Amino acid sequence: MSDVKTSPAAEPQTAQPPVRPIAWPAGVAGVVLVIAGSFLSWSYDGSILNDLSIDFYPGGLQILAIIAAVLALVLLLAERGPLTAMGTWLDATLGLRALGAGLTLYMALIVVAISVESDGLINVNPGAYVSLAGAALILACAWMLPLRQLRDLSKARLPAWSEILAIAVMMAAVLFGAAYALGLTDAWSFILCLLFFATVIVALVRTGVITWFGHVGQRHKKVLTLAAFVVAFFFPFTQGGSDANMSIATQVLIFAATAIGLNIVVGLAGLLDLGYIAFLGSGAYVAAMLSESAFATIDWHPPFPVVVLIGACVAATLGLIIGSPTLRVSGDYLAIVTLGFGEIFRLAMFNLDGINGPLLTNGPNGIPGIPELQIGGFNFGDEHTVAGLELGRFSNYYFLLLILIAFVILVFARLNESRIGRGWVAIREDEKAAEAMGVNVFGLKVLAFAIGAFLAGLAGTIKAHQDAAVSPDQYIFLESAFLLAAVVLGGMGTIAGVLLGATILKLLPEKLRFFSEYRLMLFGLLLVLMMRFRPEGLVASRRRQLEFHEEDEELAVAVEEERLIVEEAK
């Protein structure tokens, strides 16, 4: 049988492709070998990879291999067994191929890691080879299985309580997965953990589970949003009071909030801004100058809510100042102008030192010693005990940043669905056509710059207190480039995509510090691969996908159906 899928409507749904007799037993044998090998010792040296040297006591990486094997067994049972009804909806074969390939690579890298860390393959115990053989057997089985003709997943519905339960299980898996990954201090273990998560995600995408989950999320948007924030809220309680991990989490939230603001400018309005970090810096400098630091240069210390508004408004004003004269140009010219603005801001902060200009920023020394935030009687620098768990200062800032990012997401979502958002999208698609249709192109461009700058200024005021210092070196062009990369990598015009892109670009450099010399090379390689294989981003809207895959007729039909559903809802 050909490996090319036919349309679901092309043949009767009862037609079942033949299965090679040896394929299914081989896959089950592979699952058994992976699980059996995971209960045996993988390494002679117990000091590496968080100790995989004890028989019948699986370590963390061994448990991950067992989970992958169980998932493979589920897909095999969907191919032939009690779960075949599920197999008519989900593409078990493609998922099994992805899972088999990822698990084989996972086990091969574990063998490499053990040999590198302990000076030789002689230190790899038989359990690792048994699991590697099992993974290879699963992969071979997957390529022997034929592809199925599937039903339309948009019509796959479960009772409402079951779908809500699926959302809860998915969110719980995200919470515990993130907690486990951040708890890994060994670089090899972290890389292998990332490979495992990538394998599972790709397998779920190939089977169609993610597509089905997307339909479920559309039907239960409020539940999904609430579940996501509940997971984010409980995240600090999984870290055992670790300030290191919570520091990374707060940096991710600041970066994500700023990137969503940039997403308005780039993702919706289509304006390439290479100096966006200046708006974050302006909010941070306002908060520093109005703080009670001994190095603050303004003798006025208003309450923090007032500082937040002032910092955001100053950033928005800068957005108007840079936008008004420059937004009459576009494309490469606009990118050059905004790049220049970012550098002007940084150099201005150097020169406002009381010698070359007014004493506002202390020049290259910046403003250190910024005190902890205090709102009412709550000091964000104090430790608190909740349900017997210690929450440090970074946890306090984390909860404040959750409120901020909820506000930023709300603003972005409302604007995206509004008449203003449609105007921005029209400008992004074809500025001349939008202007011919009566869209106020210049006004909407300036508004995009101002709102994006306002949101970045909000994040900057909190960042100043969390970092306890500001200096010009924090706001260099490279930071603007990373913000733009988060938007492009995640998916322009989407919220979930930008959050994912910001998390990847902030988390990986922190956890993979031994790659510090090659960080930019790896970052560039990642972007090149993305532009080659998924130019629309990791999480892209269907309309954005269609721009890059015009030949995909099924996607075009799905986009049209989505448009009709939205119109009917209105």
Side-chain angles (χ1 to χ4, degrees), residues 274-296:
L274 296 180
Y276 190 76
I277 195 66
F279 301 129
L280 179 70
S282 62
Y285 265 102
V286 167
M289 290 186 289
L290 296 178
S291 71
E292 296 184 0
S293 167
F295 300 92

Side-chain angles (χ1 to χ4, degrees), residues 144-498:
M144 287 190 287
L145 292 173
L147 295 174
R148 283 180 177 270
Q149 177 185 324
L150 304 175
R151 299 180 183 179
D152 184 1
L153 274 173
S154 64
K155 299 177 182 177
R157 292 177 178 267
L158 294 175
W161 66 267
S162 300
E163 294 184 341
I164 292 173
L165 180 62
I167 291 174
V169 170
M170 182 70 78
M171 292 295 104
V174 170
L175 175 62
F176 288 106
Y180 175 75
L182 277 177
L184 296 173
T185 55
D186 177 67
W188 271 107
S189 297
F190 183 73
I191 292 173
L192 290 163
C193 181
L194 288 184
L195 176 59
F196 166 79
F197 289 142
T199 298
V200 171
I201 291 170
V202 171
L204 293 179
V205 169
R206 300 300 295 274
T207 57
V209 170
I210 299 298
T211 301
W212 175 78
F213 192 77
H215 291 299
V216 170
Q218 287 293 325
R219 292 195 288 270
H220 305 282
K221 273 187 177 180
K222 293 182 179 179
V223 174
L224 180 60
T225 303
L226 178 62
F229 275 98
V230 167
V231 165
F233 176 82
F234 280 107
F235 175 75
F237 297 98
T238 65
Q239 297 306 301
S242 170
D243 272 348
N245 289 341
M246 290 313 301
S247 173
I248 296 173
T250 53
Q251 293 293 338
V252 167
L253 288 183
I254 290 173
F255 193 72
T258 311
I260 292 175
L262 179 60
N263 200 20
I264 292 176
V265 180
V266 177
L268 295 184
L271 306 172
L272 185 56
D273 188 348
L274 296 180
Y276 190 76
I277 195 66
F279 301 129
L280 179 70
S282 62
Y285 265 102
V286 167
M289 290 186 289
L290 296 178
S291 71
E292 296 184 0
S293 167
F295 300 92
T297 54
I298 297 179
D299 191 19
W300 180 46
H301 313 296
F304 183 68
V306 176
V307 173
V308 169
L309 289 176
I310 294 174
C313 289
V314 167
T317 303
L318 287 177
L320 290 173
I321 292 173
I322 184 61
S324 297
T326 61
L327 286 178
R328 298 191 185 279
V329 299
S330 59
D332 299 340
Y333 301 102
L334 178 62
I336 293 170
V337 171
T338 54
L339 171 61
F341 167 69
E343 288 301 296
I344 288 170
F345 172 81
R346 185 177 64 86
L347 294 174
M349 296 304 102
F350 270 113
N351 290 315
L352 297 179
D353 57 357
I355 299 174
N356 301 303
L359 179 58
L360 291 176
T361 65
N362 293 325
N365 295 322
I367 302 177
I370 301 173
E372 303 288 356
L373 266 179
Q374 185 155 346
I375 300 178
F378 187 86
N379 189 306
F380 282 76
D382 295 338
E383 292 187 355
H384 302 85
T385 302
V386 179
L389 297 172
E390 292 291 333
L391 298 178
R393 69 180 293 268
F394 288 109
S395 297
N396 298 331
Y397 284 104
Y398 176 87
F399 290 121
L400 178 62
L401 287 165
L402 269 187
I403 297 173
L404 169 69
I405 205 163
F407 172 75
V408 171
I409 289 174
L410 178 64
V411 169
F412 181 89
R414 293 298 184 187
L415 286 172
N416 190 23
E417 296 168 1
S418 71
R419 198 173 154 192
I420 294 173
R422 290 194 293 272
W424 283 332
V425 172
I427 294 171
R428 183 191 72 194
E429 298 302 322
D430 193 325
E431 183 176 329
K432 296 298 181 184
E435 189 172 11
M437 294 299 293
V439 175
N440 184 354
V441 173
F442 179 73
L444 286 180
K445 281 183 175 182
V446 172
L447 183 62
F449 253 73
I451 294 177
F454 183 90
L455 297 179
L458 288 178
T461 56
I462 300 176
K463 176 178 171 59
H465 286 275
Q466 183 203 287
D467 293 345
V470 295
S471 65
D473 292 334
Q474 293 175 298
Y475 307 104
I476 58 178
F477 164 72
L478 189 60
E479 295 298 322
S480 290
F482 269 89
L483 284 169
L484 182 61
V487 175
V488 175
L489 177 67
M492 290 194 294
T494 65
I495 295 173
V498 173

